[in-house]
Amino acid sequence: MSEGTDAVIAGIEELLPALRDRAQEAEDARRVPEESIKALADVGFFKLLQPARYGGYEADPVTFYTAVRSLASACGSTGWVASILGVHPWHLGLFDDRAQQDVWGSDTGTLVSSSYAPMGKATVVDGGYRLSGKWSFSSGCDHATWVLLGAPAFTADGDPVDFCTYLVPISDYTIEDVWDTVGLRGTGSNDIVVDDVFVPAHRVLSFVATSKCRTPGQEVNTGPLYRLPYGSVHPSTITAPIIGMAQGAYDAHVAYQRERVRASYMGEQSKEDPFAKVRIAEAASEIDAAWLQLTHNIDELYQLARRGEKLPFDTRLRVRRDQVRGTERAIAAIDRLFENSGGRALRAGTPIQRFWRDAHAGRVHAANDAERAYQMFGTGTFGQTVENAMV
């Protein structure tokens, strides 16, 4: 890490007690409090993956995921939103520089939300595209003034030509407040509605270019960070906060167990229970394994990019395999801790049940489709061609 990114990580550590105290507030409001977003911006978190040309740090991705893990260990919703909003400066850095200028030209602190699922439709027109649709699950959209939306593109005759990400300003979309869930309640992952707006070609990025790691933004953002695969960076952005939630659940559980007395076992103190210690050790091992795999794999890709070497497809497949496995390990750890917590863990407002709900909500994200990721790994291992933007 550089001196600048060291300061960001240190600043985040100082924020954790306040974020922990606001966790229930975020859940009740169904969005991360404005003061939390402002605090993250003030310490420079959202600049970690932003191009240096626009005031960013261009940090190595492990530094970013480390920050996300810490945030999610204090508040799952805050960590989730921070991770999603925080990775978009990296994605925007892959766009034509005119798009980057549109967003950051007058304010380098501008935030961008997203919804990549193909819930809309674009038609090719002169100079760009006409876009319409309704997209769900745009985490943190209330804090952003631009959005990245995924949709297929068609000719005027209805023939499919591409699948793209479209960069749209807040003046061209509306937010529908629909987010009311059992987990990740504080993420404000509301719907985005676009009604036949024009998106100029420079604000559109083909997924074909993204999956091949050959994008317009690389002409101006030449650092190794922007040569990494979308299918490695983005899915890890989903797993990192879930691992953080598992760590938060672990910390809360251990603190609780130090004081817990088990009435049904003759008043035995839980901290003396050998079986409870085994469950805690198992959970800790799963969390450590998930984190080590994620950070080792991402760092391996980053070091290859730094040296200007080719990023082997088998390595990219392994990153994807271990990313979904990391989510599974984190969920297994939280389940083990929850099972070991006793009936009082069910009380509303306790950290352990909130982390448990948040992590399971994050588990259903499309990036955590384990069987699909494992199938791709098996296909690649046996030498067949696999073309998928998620790797």
Side-chain angles (χ1 to χ4, degrees), residues 39-53:
L40 291 173
D42 288 345
V43 301
F45 169 79
F46 295 115
K47 298 289 184 70
L48 283 174
L49 300 185
Q50 192 157 311
R53 299 167 54 253

Side-chain angles (χ1 to χ4, degrees), residues 129-151:
Y129 302 77
R130 303 296 304 188
L131 179 68
S132 294
K134 183 175 182 177
W135 289 260
S136 299
F137 312 121
S138 187
S139 299
C141 59
D142 290 319
H143 305 291
T145 53
W146 290 78
V147 67
L148 294 162
L149 300 171

Side-chain angles (χ1 to χ4, degrees), residues 275-298:
F275 302 107
K277 292 178 181 179
V278 169
R279 298 181 193 113
I280 291 171
E282 289 173 342
S285 179
E286 293 289 356
I287 295 168
D288 286 349
W291 185 244
L292 287 170
Q293 281 189 303
L294 185 147
T295 54
H296 168 79
N297 288 337
I298 289 294

Side-chain angles (χ1 to χ4, degrees), residues 150-165:
F154 299 86
T155 66
D157 295 328
D159 297 322
V161 292
D162 205 349
F163 182 81
C164 303
T165 302

